[in-house]
Amino acid sequence: MTLISLIFALALEQLRPLGNRNRVWHVFTRYANHLERNLNAGANRHGVFAWMLAILPPVLLSLLVYYALYAANPLLAILWNVLVLYLTMGFRHFSSAFSEISLALAEGRDLDARTALSRWTGLPAAELSVGEISRLAIEQGVVDSYRHVFGTMFWFVLLPGPSGALLYRLCSMLGQKWGGRQAEEDRFGRFAGSAAAWLDWLPVRLTAASFAVMGDFEDAVYCWRSQAKTWGNYANGILLASAAGALGVKLGDPLRQDYTIKFRPELGLGDEADPGFLKSAVGLVWRSALLWLFVVLLLSVANHMA
């Protein structure tokens, strides 16, 4: 049932992609904003209470609907899984921007590539060279592929019904929304950030291992061990360092933004990033996803035989 749900959800998402800015997530974002306005008094306990109100009701509801449908007909439960997965995971959540940038660079439309990259990442891109555009696009694509595919897939497989996928996606959204604040006096988002980091701990490392297996294993492991800790966000550092080593490309490095030089650690080994590596990055993500589906198949067969 798990494997069938994943395959159908990915196929549906390829046929009819659903972007990030859809009504479901818009409603949840408004609900999260409402909770913050009414509960944020700057204390950690307020953030914990708001997190529970935001996460637990939809996750428990998804689980109750799953068991009710399964009792009526297992096929209905599969359809419910597919629907929730369709809303929470998929390559097309980010690959449309990635493809747009890749095509623009291939056709020499550097300005269009910068515009698409800035719209995707929310960062200024007017001063970036072709190599810098390629680097940032690969970095954003690797991180987004983890958030929208591997992290969601891991928790979907681990927890019953679609509850794991929904739990991870909602926690990830609140972790970015509430947990990324730097102000020491604002403790409201600390629990949301910690919860997201906890949910990411194991799947981040499994994703990095998948990149290593599906690419240059030796370089990926070396970059993971020696370079990941130099990145500001350690979880993202693991993903980017392993992907860079697997692809044989250099990521990180300084960028020209807002008329200044933004210094960043070097990740990876090998060649400087160029538009050709964008297709290689997509291939690495797809191979890794197929590896995960194969592992899920083996687990399903083993469970059935047991």
Side-chain angles (χ1 to χ4, degrees):
M1 180 179 292
T2 299
L3 180 63
I4 293 173
S5 300
L6 286 169
I7 292 175
F8 273 94
L10 288 173
L12 178 62
E13 198 263 343
Q14 290 296 312
L15 293 173
R16 191 176 180 83
L18 185 67
N20 282 328
R21 296 176 177 85
N22 59 75
R23 291 185 177 181
V24 175
W25 299 127
H26 181 65
V27 170
F28 179 76
T29 300
R30 293 181 62 184
Y31 177 51
N33 291 338
H34 172 75
L35 291 175
E36 183 177 7
R37 283 194 304 269
N38 289 275
L39 297 176
N40 186 2
N44 183 65
R45 65 180 182 275
H46 302 136
V48 174
F49 184 58
W51 184 92
M52 293 176 65
L53 287 178
I55 299 294
L56 295 184
V59 171
L60 292 177
L61 179 62
S62 72
L63 198 56
L64 289 174
V65 171
Y66 170 78
Y67 282 123
L69 293 176
Y70 188 84
N73 190 323
L75 180 59
L76 295 176
I78 292 178
L79 294 176
W80 176 243
N81 281 347
V82 171
L83 174 61
V84 177
L85 283 172
Y86 176 63
L87 293 172
T88 55
M89 72 175 292
F91 289 94
R92 297 297 289 273
H93 282 284
F94 66 92
S95 63
S96 58
F98 200 85
S99 300
E100 183 181 357
I101 294 169
S102 179
L103 179 62
L105 290 177
E107 296 177 352
R109 296 183 285 110
D110 298 351
L111 179 59
D112 292 341
R114 293 187 185 97
T115 302
L117 180 63
S118 181
R119 185 170 57 247
W120 181 21
T121 63
L123 299 173
E127 304 165 67
L128 299 181
S129 66
V130 171
E132 291 170 332
I133 295 171
S134 301
R135 265 189 280 147
L136 276 183
I138 293 172
E139 292 168 11
Q140 189 70 33
V142 168
V143 172
D144 279 7
S145 70
Y146 167 74
R147 290 175 181 165
H148 292 289
V149 180
F150 299 104
T152 306
M153 189 185 300
F154 174 85
W155 286 105
F156 171 73
V157 172
L158 194 65
L159 298 181
S163 61
L166 191 59
L167 172 68
Y168 177 78
R169 190 74 186 100
L170 297 182
C171 283
S172 179
M173 292 177 67
L174 289 186
Q176 295 176 61
K177 185 176 182 58
W178 292 348
R181 296 164 182 168
Q182 302 299 322
E184 181 65 27
E185 64 275 7
D186 187 2
R187 298 182 177 89
F188 179 79
R190 287 187 178 180
F191 182 79
S194 298
W198 184 85
L199 290 179
D200 279 335
W201 194 92
L202 183 55
V204 158
R205 286 156 178 80
L206 291 177
T207 303
S210 303
F211 291 158
V213 171
M214 294 290 102
D216 188 320
F217 183 85
E218 185 176 348
D219 284 353
V221 172
Y222 172 79
C223 294
W224 177 355
R225 296 181 61 183
S226 62
Q227 298 177 336
K229 290 183 179 180
T230 65
W231 203 251
N233 183 309
Y234 183 43
N236 287 350
I238 292 174
L239 294 170
L240 295 176
S242 60
L247 291 170
V249 66
K250 290 182 181 179
L251 301 178
D253 283 337
L255 294 174
R256 292 171 293 175
Q257 291 180 325
D258 288 338
Y259 304 100
T260 61
I261 301 297
K262 181 180 179 182
F263 292 96
R264 307 184 309 161
E266 180 182 272
L267 298 176
L269 301 169
D271 299 327
E272 298 292 335
D274 60 42
F277 278 106
L278 271 67
K279 292 183 178 180
S280 300
V282 172
L284 177 66
V285 171
W286 267 110
R287 293 194 303 273
S288 300
L290 291 176
L291 174 63
W292 279 46
L293 290 176
F294 179 69
V295 172
V296 173
L297 172 62
L298 293 180
L299 292 175
S300 300
V301 171
N303 182 62
H304 179 71
M305 294 181 65

